[in-house]
Amino acid sequence: MIRQPALVAALALLVFVAGACAGPTGATPGPPGVATAATEQQVIAALAAVGLQAAETDRAFRPPEGPMLAAAPRTVLAVPLPADPDPGWIVVYALGSEDQASRAAKDQAAYIASNTGRINFAKGARFVLRIVGSTVVWFSWLPETSPDARTATIAQTLQAIGTGIEIPS
């Protein structure tokens, strides 16, 4: 006969193991495949035109995200900046359609403007949030602490791609 405390302990262990097997909370969803390829190439070409190199990276990077972008497959591009030890990080999210991309981008804008979003970004942070077909392009930076002036060039260049989403203040 199993006693109740032993049963509770066994169930707790089962829940723990099942959760561990499910992968870490906040892990990147499945790979985007070709869904982000055209947008990536557009971003890379635009940055190359202003003298900046960008390339896909497998280095871990995840910005604060609203729920819709957090669930979307993504590709991360890194833009090396000689005067900055960290690259400029650009995230391209793959959504199923232009409508879903628009809703996800608006969800991200609302998240940034929310109390939760405000505590996840430094005061003075600037954001680029663009819709390109069924993808969303995301870039954030902090002008006051960016050691490389070319970080602003990344933001300015991305502003010319796709359709912008305004971040409510």
Side-chain angles (χ1 to χ4, degrees):
M1 178 170 167
I2 298 177
R3 297 196 171 166
Q4 191 168 4
L7 182 59
V8 169
L11 286 174
L13 179 61
L14 181 62
V15 169
F16 173 76
V17 170
C21 291
T25 301
T28 299
V34 298
T36 62
T39 302
E40 285 179 65
Q41 290 310 309
Q42 189 175 356
V43 168
I44 290 168
L47 290 168
V50 296
L52 294 170
Q53 294 181 343
E56 211 174 290
T57 181
D58 58 0
R59 188 168 155 198
F61 174 77
R62 183 138 192 191
E65 303 162 315
M68 293 181 79
L69 289 186
R74 68 190 52 79
T75 300
V76 177
L77 300 175
V79 182
L81 298 165
D84 193 336
D86 288 319
W89 300 106
I90 301 167
V91 186
V92 181
Y93 297 89
L95 286 298
S97 67
E98 288 184 37
D99 182 58
Q100 288 176 329
S102 178
R103 285 187 288 139
K106 290 174 183 172
D107 178 69
Q108 180 69 7
Y111 170 77
I112 294 165
S114 73
N115 288 336
T116 303
R118 285 189 179 125
I119 63 172
N120 283 310
F121 294 100
K123 186 176 181 175
R126 305 269 175 90
F127 310 98
V128 177
L129 187 58
R130 311 292 293 180
I131 301 167
V132 181
S134 63
T135 64
V136 173
V137 176
W138 165 253
F139 177 71
S140 67
W141 64 297
L142 189 59
E144 291 79 20
T145 62
S146 294
D148 196 309
R150 288 167 286 205
T151 306
T153 305
I154 296 170
Q156 292 164 348
T157 302
L158 293 176
Q159 292 290 358
I161 295 172
T163 304
I165 296 295
E166 189 173 330
I167 311 294
S169 42

